[in-house]
Amino acid sequence: MLNKKQLFTVFPLLIASTMANADWEGDAKLGQEKAYTCQFCHGATGYANVDGYPHINGQNAKYIYNAMLAYQKGERTTQWG
């Protein structure tokens, strides 16, 4: 049986290792359809056309996923929506 100190050491490592190995799944076709609108601010190649907007070309899937989730939850907004 683990004591409290060991538990608080092992548990976060277990969670972190599980998340690091998680596969990001989604609907690629739907993503392509929806991504069309991203180009107006982030550029057709992912390099921003608008000052203040980040380049998304080369970003990792986890970053994009978390950003889209935050927009969906209303935690992240822009002046356009």
Side-chain angles (χ1 to χ4, degrees):
M1 177 68 80
L2 296 174
N3 65 34
K4 286 184 181 181
K5 184 177 180 181
Q6 291 171 325
L7 182 62
F8 286 113
T9 302
V10 172
F11 187 70
L13 294 173
L14 177 63
I15 296 300
S17 67
T18 302
M19 290 180 71
N21 293 324
D23 290 329
W24 297 96
E25 295 183 19
D27 184 334
K29 184 177 179 184
L30 183 60
Q32 278 188 319
E33 291 173 13
K34 291 184 175 191
Y36 171 78
T37 59
C38 300
Q39 72 179 334
F40 297 107
C41 298
H42 297 286
T45 61
Y47 292 100
N49 298 332
V50 179
D51 289 339
Y53 279 77
H55 300 306
I56 56 175
N57 187 323
Q59 279 290 4
N60 65 62
K62 187 175 180 179
Y63 171 84
I64 299 293
Y65 173 82
N66 286 331
M68 295 297 100
L69 191 60
Y71 280 116
Q72 187 178 41
K73 291 180 177 180
E75 299 169 349
R76 188 173 184 171
T77 61
T78 66
Q79 63 189 26
W80 292 282

